[in-house]
Amino acid sequence: MPLGKVQTHIVERLVELGRLTAEQQQAIAAAPEELTGSELDKMLRDDHGIAPFALLVAKARALGFAPCHAARCQVNAATFAHIPQDFCEKHLVLPVGEVGEALLIAFANPFDEAVMPKLQELAPGRRIIRLLAPEQDIRDKFSKSKQVGAEGFGDVMDQLGAEFGAIAEASEDDLTDEESGPIIDLANRVIEEAYFAGTSDIHIEPQEHDVVVRYRIDGVCQEKLRLPSKVGPALVARLKIMCNLDIAERRLPQDGRIVFKQYTKKNLDLDLRVSTAPLNHGEGVVMRILDKQKTTLPLPALGFTEENLARYREVIRQPYGMILHCGPTGSGKSMTLYSALNEINTPDIVIRTAEDPIEYTLPGLNQMQMHRQIGLTFATALRAFLRQDPDIILVGEIRDKETANIAVEAALTGHLLISTLHTNDAPGTIARLCDMGVEPFMISSSLLCVCAQRLMRRVCKTCRVPYEPEGREKEVLEKAIGWSGQIFKHNPKGCPKCGGSGYKGRVGIHELMITNEELVEGINKELESAELKKIAMRGGMKTLHQDSLVKVKEGLTTLEEAIATVPPDM
């Protein structure tokens, strides 16, 4: 047989994934001459239409590693915080993330055992998780990171200051022209700097005498720029042009979307969800950054405790029913939903999603963008999906009675329906659905689980300060989780790694309410949320407050951050 052992395993994995038929497998095995690895790759791509990512997944499974889509990973200064870039470039490895104390490292050759001891020396005490990535993708990331450094992103604020100086000296006519060079450069630079700073939202807020630009980083708003008030209208108009909104309409809120790739010369494939609003000193704009290069995280990296993760994984593999995620905007609901879908997405399952907007694109998902202007709403999409016999349906948000009723109907007729809702906690979701007009017996018959969630800032591992809690702090820990011991507080001065804030990154906290007989009975009796909460806790649910203190116990965050995010249980 012309194929080696590893090559045979790769072909077998492609058959398992539904990318090759048994006949194609036999044809490949019957090749007259022995094939090298690169020749097999070329044959699979050119002759059998195997996509590069599908081939990567098959290789990873054949070799016993997880695949890494390195082309979608973001590379910036923080990427090489633990492993120097010159070492990574020399050995063709790329740090792509962290899961607790472990580092995720993409390898072009994960069998190069000489690299592992050196990585352990560079990151002592950290576990290294090896991922498989195409060699060319890793090389491309290094070349792009050099381009970024050459263009001076580390000093981008100084360049912005120069732009503002040019704007301040411009004539009044220039400033009111949204197509002028300084305004175009300013709009682009604000978005680019926000992206490289790790911003989730950009706020442009007109004040009485100036315009304030703020970035939300790790859930906290930080003021970045103050511009002359006369710059505001032109900047807002420029942003409206970028997302095809009516620049003459300044009295009504408008929503739009910027496909930023067509406006920048830099290699940034990102979209922005834009919302304008008339305020007392002019129009304000909020832009949510949707990074299309960003990949979903695996479920274990989202902050679930081991118990919650096991229960949640069991629920998402149910054949039908309704799974709801609740929490405010920016609480990580979308990331959790996509991570769940990514885990259960296989060739034998049909998945349809209705989203507004589509935040991530995943191979194998059939995604639909909502357009309310033409009548394409969540309810309309749901009706269409029910005629197409999908196994799993994701609805971006349940906003009204019509969508809620169709969602429940879908969950009762053999579909697994996953969606989001804006409520404060998991038990409160029942009352919210009842307020929408859904009958309690319909809710209890269809609901599998509700997961309430929030995001808390992670305390910086480099500069955190250990201490023993006393007094009220000790009481809070003992009452909530029955434990007291050494915990950490943030260093007010911070360090270079956390940018002087004492915090770096965020971690999820979850309140997982899974239905049981007692809870179903309580829903049917229309019990108050407080009573449902007690029933759910008897069934094993940990509240958001309890889960936040588990993260404090594990040293992931501070007690101060936990209390600020979720108040103690009554």
Side-chain angles (χ1 to χ4, degrees):
M1 189 168 73
L3 298 185
K5 185 176 181 181
V6 172
Q7 294 171 312
T8 301
H9 286 325
I10 292 171
V11 174
E12 289 173 349
R13 298 297 85 77
L14 286 168
V15 174
E16 289 175 4
L17 290 167
R19 307 295 181 179
L20 285 176
T21 64
E23 291 75 15
Q24 288 174 307
Q25 180 184 14
Q26 292 172 2
I28 294 168
E33 297 180 2
E34 186 172 344
L35 297 172
T36 64
S38 58
E39 288 172 342
L40 176 62
D41 290 355
K42 188 175 187 304
M43 175 187 286
L44 290 169
R45 286 195 303 264
D46 297 348
D47 298 346
H48 301 284
I50 303 299
F53 186 69
L55 182 56
L56 173 65
V57 171
K59 283 185 176 181
R61 291 190 179 184
L63 298 173
F65 297 101
C68 175
H69 203 335
R72 291 190 174 186
C73 295
Q74 177 184 341
V75 174
N76 52 37
T79 302
F80 306 103
H82 300 289
I83 313 296
Q85 181 171 346
D86 56 351
F87 175 90
C88 294
E89 192 165 358
K90 178 181 178 182
H91 296 282
L92 286 178
V93 297
L94 181 70
V96 295
E98 299 180 39
V99 180
E101 294 295 325
L103 295 178
L104 301 176
I105 309 288
F107 283 68
N109 177 14
F111 293 106
D112 188 351
E113 295 298 336
V115 177
M116 286 299 291
K118 297 175 183 176
L119 287 172
Q120 295 291 2
E121 289 177 13
L122 292 168
R126 308 297 292 272
R127 187 162 68 94
I128 306 297
I129 298 178
R130 285 179 282 187
L131 310 176
L132 178 67
E135 179 179 327
Q136 191 56 49
D137 285 0
I138 294 179
R139 291 188 185 278
D140 289 346
K141 284 297 171 185
F142 290 129
S143 63
K144 288 172 185 175
S145 69
K146 289 178 180 177
Q147 293 169 14
V148 167
E151 292 172 11
F153 279 102
D155 198 31
V156 72
M157 294 305 295
D158 291 340
Q159 296 180 35
L160 280 170
E163 295 288 356
F164 300 151
I167 292 171
E169 295 168 3
S171 68
E172 189 71 29
D173 291 339
D174 288 337
L175 290 171
T176 57
D177 180 9
E178 63 277 352
E179 294 290 350
S180 70
I183 290 296
I184 291 173
D185 290 344
L186 173 61
N188 287 355
R189 199 63 67 86
V190 164
I191 294 171
E192 290 163 1
E193 161 63 8
Y195 172 77
F196 286 106
T199 302
S200 60
D201 302 89
I202 305 169
H203 295 253
I204 298 174
E205 303 163 339
Q207 308 292 332
E208 186 175 2
H209 301 294
D210 47 26
V211 176
V212 177
V213 178
R214 298 197 294 167
Y215 295 163
R216 187 178 293 279
I217 301 173
D218 287 343
V220 178
C221 269
Q222 305 173 12
E223 182 179 317
K224 288 294 178 181
L225 307 167
R226 278 189 178 266
L227 307 171
S229 58
K230 59 183 180 179
V231 174
L235 177 58
V236 171
R238 173 59 190 169
L239 294 171
K240 286 168 127 181
I241 287 173
M242 292 168 75
C243 50
N244 298 316
L245 296 180
D246 183 359
I247 63 172
E249 180 54 79
R250 301 179 181 178
R251 301 166 299 171
L252 293 173
Q254 297 185 65
D255 294 321
R257 187 183 183 99
I258 295 175
V259 181
F260 191 59
K261 187 162 73 169
Q262 60 187 312
Y263 296 105
T264 180
K265 296 178 181 177
K266 300 174 177 63
N267 187 36
L268 298 181
D269 187 11
L270 56 98
D271 292 356
L272 296 100
R273 187 170 64 196
V274 182
S275 175
T276 72
L279 306 175
N280 56 335
H281 295 296
E283 278 190 286
V285 178
V286 178
M287 297 183 283
R288 164 66 60 90
I289 295 177
L290 308 173
D291 184 3
K292 297 172 78 172
Q293 300 173 105
K294 187 177 180 182
T295 56
T296 58
L297 293 171
L299 280 177
L302 299 182
F304 282 102
T305 62
E306 288 186 12
E307 180 186 358
N308 277 346
L309 180 60
R311 298 174 76 201
Y312 185 70
R313 278 178 159 162
E314 184 178 343
V315 168
I316 63 176
R317 285 173 168 80
Q318 297 299 311
Y320 55 84
M322 184 163 63
I323 298 172
L324 297 177
H325 283 256
C326 60
T329 301
S331 60
K333 300 188 298 294
S334 295
M335 175 61 80
T336 308
L337 294 179
Y338 281 102
S339 296
L341 288 181
N342 203 29
E343 183 157 310
I344 58 179
N345 180 21
T346 56
D348 59 321
I349 290 178
V350 177
I351 301 176
R352 295 277 191 274
T353 78
E355 304 169 64
D356 188 19
I358 295 174
E359 295 189 35
Y360 303 91
T361 54
L362 295 178
L365 264 64
N366 301 279
Q367 299 171 270
M368 183 186 293
Q369 170 69 51
M370 299 299 94
H371 291 287
R372 280 175 287 175
Q373 299 89 339
I374 61 171
L376 181 52
T377 63
F378 287 127
T380 308
L382 261 175
R383 285 199 192 91
F385 288 164
L386 290 178
R387 294 192 292 269
Q388 296 183 357
D389 191 33
D391 299 294
I392 300 173
I393 301 173
L394 183 146
V395 181
E397 184 182 346
I398 295 177
R399 297 174 178 169
D400 51 51
K401 178 179 179 180
E402 185 181 16
T403 306
N405 279 311
I406 301 172
V408 169
E409 178 188 333
L412 290 171
T413 54
H415 306 88
L416 182 65
L417 186 127
I418 307 175
S419 189
T420 69
L421 207 62
H422 287 280
T423 58
N424 284 330
D425 60 6
T429 302
I430 308 301
R432 180 80 181 100
L433 288 171
C434 289
D435 289 343
M436 287 182 173
V438 183
E439 294 291 341
F441 75 90
M442 297 282 284
I443 299 172
S444 64
S445 301
S446 61
L447 191 64
L448 292 174
C449 86
V450 180
C451 180
Q453 60 187 88
R454 300 285 190 280
L455 292 176
M456 290 191 306
R457 290 184 295 170
R458 288 179 181 265
V459 66
C460 178
K461 295 174 185 175
T462 304
C463 64
R464 63 186 180 180
V465 180
Y467 75 104
E468 289 285 338
E470 297 178 353
R472 175 63 178 155
E473 290 188 339
K474 186 175 181 180
E475 289 176 14
V476 169
L477 284 165
E478 289 179 341
K479 181 180 178 182
I481 59 175
W483 176 89
S484 182
Q486 177 182 286
I487 58 176
F488 294 89
K489 59 184 176 182
H490 80 289
N491 185 340
K493 295 182 180 178
C495 66
K497 184 179 176 183
C498 62
S501 69
Y503 293 95
K504 182 174 177 60
R506 290 193 285 177
V507 63
I509 56 174
H510 306 88
E511 183 175 278
L512 193 62
M513 183 179 81
I514 296 177
T515 54
N516 54 35
E517 289 185 13
E518 189 180 5
L519 196 57
V520 166
E521 187 178 336
I523 295 171
N524 289 335
K525 289 180 179 178
E526 301 185 39
L527 296 180
E528 296 288 333
S529 294
E531 292 300 317
L532 294 176
K533 183 174 183 177
K534 292 176 183 177
I535 294 172
M537 291 178 71
R538 286 199 293 271
M541 182 186 84
K542 297 293 187 295
T543 66
L544 285 169
H545 173 61
Q546 290 174 322
D547 199 46
S548 70
L549 294 189
V550 170
K551 303 302 188 293
V552 173
K553 174 185 176 182
E554 293 173 349
L556 297 176
T557 190
T558 65
L559 187 58
E560 176 187 16
E561 178 71 9
I563 299 299
T565 305
V566 182
D569 297 321
M570 300 300 291

Short mmCIF file of all heavy atoms in Angstrom, two decimals, residues 191 200 257-262 268-274 287-293 357-359 369:
data_model
loop_
_atom_site.label_atom_id
_atom_site.label_comp_id
_atom_site.label_asym_id
_atom_site.label_seq_id
_atom_site.Cartn_x
_atom_site.Cartn_y
_atom_site.Cartn_z
N ILE A 191 -10.48 53.27 15.32
CA ILE A 191 -10.88 51.86 15.27
C ILE A 191 -9.66 50.95 15.36
O ILE A 191 -9.65 49.95 16.08
CB ILE A 191 -11.68 51.59 13.99
CG1 ILE A 191 -13.02 52.36 14.02
CG2 ILE A 191 -11.93 50.09 13.81
CD1 ILE A 191 -13.78 52.34 12.71
N SER A 200 -13.49 45.96 23.40
CA SER A 200 -14.72 45.32 22.94
C SER A 200 -15.70 46.35 22.38
O SER A 200 -16.44 46.06 21.45
CB SER A 200 -15.38 44.54 24.08
OG SER A 200 -15.71 45.40 25.16
N ARG A 257 -23.70 48.66 10.34
CA ARG A 257 -22.56 47.74 10.44
C ARG A 257 -21.44 48.23 9.53
O ARG A 257 -21.68 48.59 8.37
CB ARG A 257 -23.00 46.33 10.03
CG ARG A 257 -21.97 45.23 10.24
CD ARG A 257 -22.53 43.92 9.72
NE ARG A 257 -21.63 42.80 9.96
CZ ARG A 257 -21.75 41.94 10.95
NH1 ARG A 257 -22.73 42.09 11.83
NH2 ARG A 257 -20.91 40.93 11.09
N ILE A 258 -20.23 48.26 10.05
CA ILE A 258 -19.06 48.65 9.27
C ILE A 258 -18.24 47.41 8.95
O ILE A 258 -17.86 46.66 9.85
CB ILE A 258 -18.17 49.66 10.03
CG1 ILE A 258 -18.91 50.98 10.26
CG2 ILE A 258 -16.86 49.91 9.28
CD1 ILE A 258 -18.14 51.97 11.11
N VAL A 259 -18.02 47.16 7.67
CA VAL A 259 -17.09 46.10 7.24
C VAL A 259 -15.75 46.80 7.07
O VAL A 259 -15.45 47.39 6.04
CB VAL A 259 -17.54 45.43 5.93
CG1 VAL A 259 -16.57 44.33 5.53
CG2 VAL A 259 -18.96 44.88 6.07
N PHE A 260 -14.92 46.75 8.11
CA PHE A 260 -13.75 47.63 8.19
C PHE A 260 -12.66 47.27 7.21
O PHE A 260 -11.83 48.11 6.86
CB PHE A 260 -13.21 47.61 9.63
CG PHE A 260 -12.17 48.67 9.90
CD1 PHE A 260 -12.48 50.02 9.72
CD2 PHE A 260 -10.90 48.33 10.32
CE1 PHE A 260 -11.52 51.00 9.96
CE2 PHE A 260 -9.95 49.30 10.55
CZ PHE A 260 -10.26 50.64 10.37
N LYS A 261 -12.65 46.04 6.72
CA LYS A 261 -11.57 45.60 5.83
C LYS A 261 -11.47 46.48 4.59
O LYS A 261 -10.38 46.68 4.05
CB LYS A 261 -11.79 44.13 5.44
CG LYS A 261 -10.64 43.55 4.64
CD LYS A 261 -10.67 42.03 4.66
CE LYS A 261 -11.76 41.47 3.80
NZ LYS A 261 -11.63 40.00 3.62
N GLN A 262 -12.61 47.04 4.15
CA GLN A 262 -12.58 47.83 2.92
C GLN A 262 -12.11 49.27 3.15
O GLN A 262 -11.94 50.02 2.20
CB GLN A 262 -13.97 47.85 2.28
CG GLN A 262 -15.06 48.45 3.16
CD GLN A 262 -16.44 48.30 2.55
OE1 GLN A 262 -16.64 48.61 1.39
NE2 GLN A 262 -17.39 47.82 3.34
N LEU A 268 -6.68 43.80 8.72
CA LEU A 268 -7.65 43.67 9.80
C LEU A 268 -8.99 43.23 9.21
O LEU A 268 -9.64 44.00 8.52
CB LEU A 268 -7.83 45.00 10.55
CG LEU A 268 -6.60 45.57 11.26
CD1 LEU A 268 -6.95 46.86 11.95
CD2 LEU A 268 -6.06 44.57 12.27
N ASP A 269 -9.37 42.00 9.50
CA ASP A 269 -10.66 41.49 9.02
C ASP A 269 -11.64 41.53 10.17
O ASP A 269 -11.82 40.56 10.90
CB ASP A 269 -10.49 40.07 8.49
CG ASP A 269 -11.76 39.56 7.82
OD1 ASP A 269 -12.67 40.38 7.58
OD2 ASP A 269 -11.83 38.35 7.53
N LEU A 270 -12.26 42.70 10.36
CA LEU A 270 -13.20 42.83 11.47
C LEU A 270 -14.38 43.69 11.05
O LEU A 270 -14.29 44.50 10.13
CB LEU A 270 -12.52 43.44 12.71
CG LEU A 270 -11.82 44.80 12.58
CD1 LEU A 270 -12.73 45.91 13.07
CD2 LEU A 270 -10.54 44.81 13.38
N ASP A 271 -15.51 43.44 11.70
CA ASP A 271 -16.73 44.22 11.49
C ASP A 271 -17.04 44.97 12.78
O ASP A 271 -16.59 44.59 13.86
CB ASP A 271 -17.91 43.33 11.13
CG ASP A 271 -17.77 42.68 9.76
OD1 ASP A 271 -16.77 43.00 9.07
OD2 ASP A 271 -18.63 41.88 9.39
N LEU A 272 -17.82 46.04 12.65
CA LEU A 272 -18.25 46.79 13.83
C LEU A 272 -19.75 46.96 13.79
O LEU A 272 -20.31 47.35 12.76
CB LEU A 272 -17.58 48.17 13.90
CG LEU A 272 -16.05 48.15 14.07
CD1 LEU A 272 -15.38 48.41 12.72
CD2 LEU A 272 -15.60 49.18 15.07
N ARG A 273 -20.42 46.65 14.89
CA ARG A 273 -21.85 46.87 15.03
C ARG A 273 -22.02 48.28 15.59
O ARG A 273 -21.53 48.59 16.68
CB ARG A 273 -22.46 45.83 15.96
CG ARG A 273 -23.97 45.88 16.03
CD ARG A 273 -24.51 44.69 16.78
NE ARG A 273 -24.10 44.68 18.17
CZ ARG A 273 -24.17 43.62 18.96
NH1 ARG A 273 -24.60 42.48 18.50
NH2 ARG A 273 -23.81 43.69 20.22
N VAL A 274 -22.69 49.15 14.83
CA VAL A 274 -22.74 50.57 15.14
C VAL A 274 -24.14 50.99 15.57
O VAL A 274 -25.13 50.61 14.94
CB VAL A 274 -22.30 51.41 13.91
CG1 VAL A 274 -22.30 52.90 14.23
CG2 VAL A 274 -20.92 50.97 13.44
N MET A 287 -19.76 51.57 19.16
CA MET A 287 -19.39 50.55 18.17
C MET A 287 -18.88 49.30 18.88
O MET A 287 -17.93 49.39 19.66
CB MET A 287 -18.32 51.09 17.21
CG MET A 287 -18.78 52.26 16.38
SD MET A 287 -17.53 52.83 15.19
CE MET A 287 -16.43 53.75 16.28
N ARG A 288 -19.51 48.15 18.62
CA ARG A 288 -19.05 46.86 19.15
C ARG A 288 -18.16 46.21 18.11
O ARG A 288 -18.56 46.03 16.95
CB ARG A 288 -20.27 45.98 19.47
CG ARG A 288 -19.99 44.50 19.68
CD ARG A 288 -19.17 44.19 20.91
NE ARG A 288 -19.79 44.65 22.13
CZ ARG A 288 -20.62 43.91 22.86
NH1 ARG A 288 -20.94 42.70 22.46
NH2 ARG A 288 -21.12 44.38 23.98
N ILE A 289 -16.94 45.86 18.51
CA ILE A 289 -15.98 45.25 17.59
C ILE A 289 -16.25 43.75 17.49
O ILE A 289 -16.29 43.04 18.50
CB ILE A 289 -14.53 45.50 18.05
CG1 ILE A 289 -14.22 47.00 17.99
CG2 ILE A 289 -13.55 44.71 17.20
CD1 ILE A 289 -12.83 47.37 18.48
N LEU A 290 -16.44 43.28 16.28
CA LEU A 290 -16.64 41.85 16.00
C LEU A 290 -15.44 41.36 15.20
O LEU A 290 -15.33 41.64 14.01
CB LEU A 290 -17.94 41.64 15.22
CG LEU A 290 -19.21 42.26 15.81
CD1 LEU A 290 -20.38 42.11 14.86
CD2 LEU A 290 -19.53 41.65 17.16
N ASP A 291 -14.53 40.69 15.88
CA ASP A 291 -13.28 40.26 15.25
C ASP A 291 -13.50 38.97 14.47
O ASP A 291 -13.65 37.90 15.06
CB ASP A 291 -12.20 40.08 16.31
CG ASP A 291 -10.85 39.72 15.73
OD1 ASP A 291 -10.74 39.68 14.48
OD2 ASP A 291 -9.90 39.50 16.49
N LYS A 292 -13.51 39.03 13.15
CA LYS A 292 -13.76 37.85 12.32
C LYS A 292 -12.56 36.90 12.30
O LYS A 292 -12.67 35.76 11.87
CB LYS A 292 -14.12 38.29 10.90
CG LYS A 292 -15.41 39.10 10.85
CD LYS A 292 -15.66 39.70 9.50
CE LYS A 292 -16.21 38.70 8.53
NZ LYS A 292 -16.63 39.33 7.26
N GLN A 293 -11.38 37.40 12.75
CA GLN A 293 -10.20 36.54 12.83
C GLN A 293 -10.17 35.75 14.14
O GLN A 293 -9.37 34.85 14.31
CB GLN A 293 -8.93 37.38 12.72
CG GLN A 293 -8.84 38.16 11.41
CD GLN A 293 -7.66 39.11 11.38
OE1 GLN A 293 -6.67 38.84 10.72
NE2 GLN A 293 -7.75 40.20 12.10
N PRO A 357 -26.04 40.65 15.06
CA PRO A 357 -25.44 40.22 13.79
C PRO A 357 -24.78 38.85 13.93
O PRO A 357 -24.73 38.31 15.02
CB PRO A 357 -24.38 41.29 13.57
CG PRO A 357 -23.89 41.58 14.96
CD PRO A 357 -25.11 41.46 15.86
N ILE A 358 -24.27 38.33 12.79
CA ILE A 358 -23.44 37.12 12.83
C ILE A 358 -22.08 37.53 13.38
O ILE A 358 -21.34 38.29 12.74
CB ILE A 358 -23.31 36.50 11.42
CG1 ILE A 358 -24.67 36.01 10.94
CG2 ILE A 358 -22.30 35.37 11.43
CD1 ILE A 358 -24.68 35.51 9.50
N GLU A 359 -21.74 37.03 14.56
CA GLU A 359 -20.50 37.47 15.22
C GLU A 359 -19.32 36.56 14.89
O GLU A 359 -18.18 37.02 14.83
CB GLU A 359 -20.71 37.52 16.74
CG GLU A 359 -21.74 38.57 17.16
CD GLU A 359 -21.78 38.77 18.66
OE1 GLU A 359 -20.73 38.67 19.31
OE2 GLU A 359 -22.88 39.03 19.19
N GLN A 369 -28.41 36.04 8.66
CA GLN A 369 -28.36 37.40 9.21
C GLN A 369 -29.76 38.01 9.16
O GLN A 369 -30.43 37.98 8.13
CB GLN A 369 -27.39 38.26 8.39
CG GLN A 369 -27.43 39.74 8.69
CD GLN A 369 -26.89 40.06 10.07
OE1 GLN A 369 -25.80 39.64 10.42
NE2 GLN A 369 -27.65 40.81 10.85
#
